[in-house]
Amino acid sequence: MLSRTADHLFWMARYVERAENTARMLDVNLSTSLLPQSAEASERGWRAMLSISELTADYDARYPILSPRDVIDFMVRDPTNPSSIYSCLQAARENARAVRGSLTTEVWETHNDTWLAMQKLLAERKPERDPQSFFEWVKFRSHLSRGVTIGTMLKDEAFFFIRLGTFLERADNTARLLDVKYHGLAESSLAQAARSDESAIDHHMDFYHWAAILRSVSAFEIYRKVYRDVITPSRVAELLILRSDMPRSLVACMDEVCLNLEKVRNSRSQETERRSGLLRAEVRYGRIQDILAQGLHPYLTSFLERVNDLGGRISQDFLVPLQAA
């Protein structure tokens, strides 16, 4: 397969996954912002969401103050924001158009219909009128794209590069979400623990916050099925890092990255496979006690650096190098 074709397929999948994860993060932030809390706590939550995507500086350059409405507008429809849902779905469609010959008709029509419907929804101001319904629509279109790909495409190199892009992006986004949300809520919980007169309220607030985070990665029902107990930060971290049967966990994503790298290996990819296999082994055989003992934030920061390194190496080994692109 030509490097440029593989590049379009890889990034098409990454952009669709990124649009879905942006919708998930906005949805959970919108849900938690409706809970009783101070203005400062609400602002921290929205700033944390911008921090996940490393967009705080870009947002501050465009808007004088932070408001939920402006953050949603920036992350949904701003064409100058490369991580906005608008930009991601546009880029996914353009990458799909460039390699129509490598896609089935159903896959191409799904991407094209998503882009056309997106423009219509934005013109009707759907994100402003009913944001949660709009976020559900974005998630549904992402699910549809993956389902059509799995159900209609030949399991050849084109399919493997699409899957590789999907799971590399998902690993990155799950780690970012868990890092920022866990760090913020853990600090909040420690502060609340010092105020015994509010302990009952605090426990209820913790439950709703952690439940919202689990729902943002479609893991609330899975958590209940696996643990059958109260929601605790350490178990949320364990579920989203170490459970291979959890579809959006870090270990499940790395399993798929390694599997698909093996399918497309070439004479230059041995070191990339080695590094991805090493990272997979660390999350597969890790223990949550050890991770929390060393600090979740340093652990996830290291994971993100290594995932980004893998993305760069995949570009060098198989795709159009990032510098040239």
Side-chain angles (χ1 to χ4, degrees):
M1 175 176 287
L2 293 174
S3 294
R4 188 161 292 280
T5 300
D7 187 80
H8 284 302
L9 294 167
F10 177 82
W11 283 104
M12 176 192 76
R14 289 199 70 162
Y15 280 123
V16 171
E17 186 69 23
R18 190 173 300 176
E20 178 186 349
N21 281 287
T22 298
R24 288 178 178 277
M25 289 188 292
L26 287 167
D27 195 18
V28 69
N29 254 62
L30 192 60
S31 297
T32 54
S33 70
L34 299 176
L35 296 172
Q37 59 186 314
S38 67
E40 292 79 8
S42 177
E43 181 173 337
R44 282 198 303 270
W46 288 106
R47 284 210 171 272
M49 210 226 79
L50 292 169
S51 175
I52 291 174
S53 304
E54 299 179 1
L55 291 168
T56 303
D58 289 343
Y59 176 88
D60 289 338
R62 288 171 173 78
Y63 299 92
I65 61 172
L66 187 142
S67 73
R69 180 182 296 274
D70 288 340
V71 174
I72 291 174
D73 185 78
F74 179 64
M75 295 300 295
V76 168
R77 63 164 68 240
D78 192 335
T80 65
N81 173 9
S83 293
S84 70
I85 294 174
Y86 175 94
S87 296
C88 288
L89 293 182
Q90 181 185 43
R93 190 260 186 188
E94 288 305 307
N95 277 285
R97 184 179 61 83
V99 289
R100 285 184 61 177
S102 299
L103 304 173
T104 61
T105 300
E106 290 92 336
V107 173
W108 157 246
E109 288 181 346
T110 298
H111 285 285
N112 195 45
D113 289 348
T114 298
W115 171 238
L116 295 175
M118 169 77 172
Q119 295 179 85
K120 182 180 178 182
L121 291 174
L122 293 182
E124 296 171 349
R125 304 196 66 80
K126 179 74 168 179
E128 291 80 8
R129 292 187 293 104
D130 190 357
Q132 290 182 311
S133 175
F134 174 77
F135 300 145
E136 286 298 321
W137 176 84
V138 174
K139 289 189 281 185
F140 172 77
R141 296 304 299 188
S142 178
H143 299 330
L144 182 61
S145 171
R146 281 194 300 275
V148 171
T149 299
I150 293 171
T152 68
M153 284 194 65
L154 186 69
K155 304 302 186 288
D156 60 0
E157 284 189 328
F159 178 84
F160 299 136
F161 277 113
I162 290 172
R163 299 290 282 174
L164 185 58
T166 294
F167 288 101
L168 197 68
E169 183 70 27
R170 184 177 296 180
D172 180 275
N173 281 277
T174 297
R176 288 179 188 273
L177 176 70
L178 182 59
D179 185 25
V180 174
K181 292 298 184 182
Y182 189 102
H183 187 64
L185 287 177
E187 284 186 345
S188 176
S189 297
L190 288 173
Q192 291 169 355
R195 302 194 303 271
S196 59
D197 57 323
E198 297 180 5
S199 59
I201 297 175
D202 295 340
H203 286 308
H204 288 302
M205 291 295 291
D206 276 352
F207 170 81
Y208 287 116
H209 276 286
W210 288 113
I213 291 171
L214 288 170
R215 286 193 174 96
S216 75
V217 289
S218 301
F220 183 76
E221 291 87 356
I222 293 174
Y223 185 99
R224 288 301 196 198
K225 183 177 291 186
V226 170
Y227 296 105
R228 302 178 184 274
D229 203 348
V230 296
I231 298 174
T232 64
S234 61
R235 285 173 176 166
V236 172
E238 181 180 52
L239 182 68
L240 297 185
I241 295 174
L242 303 177
R243 294 283 309 201
S244 59
D245 48 359
M246 165 61 196
R248 306 188 78 86
S249 71
L250 301 189
V251 65
C253 292
M254 288 310 304
D255 283 344
E256 289 288 342
V257 168
C258 290
L259 175 64
N260 287 284
L261 268 177
E262 181 182 336
K263 297 288 187 181
V264 299
R265 65 163 54 122
N266 61 24
S267 59
R268 296 186 298 176
S269 63
Q270 184 176 358
E271 178 62 15
T272 303
E273 287 188 73
R274 187 191 72 81
R275 294 190 187 194
S276 66
L278 182 60
L279 184 55
R280 174 197 188 186
E282 289 181 13
V283 290
R284 174 167 284 278
Y285 299 109
R287 295 188 304 177
I288 194 60
Q289 301 95 318
D290 297 335
I291 293 172
L292 295 179
Q294 78 175 73
L296 186 63
H297 178 64
Y299 176 86
L300 292 173
T301 299
S302 172
F303 180 88
L304 284 167
E305 289 172 352
R306 295 168 73 180
V307 164
N308 289 333
D309 173 64
L310 283 177
R313 296 193 66 86
I314 288 169
S315 292
Q316 292 292 334
D317 294 342
F318 304 103
L319 315 176
V320 178
L322 290 176
Q323 295 89 339

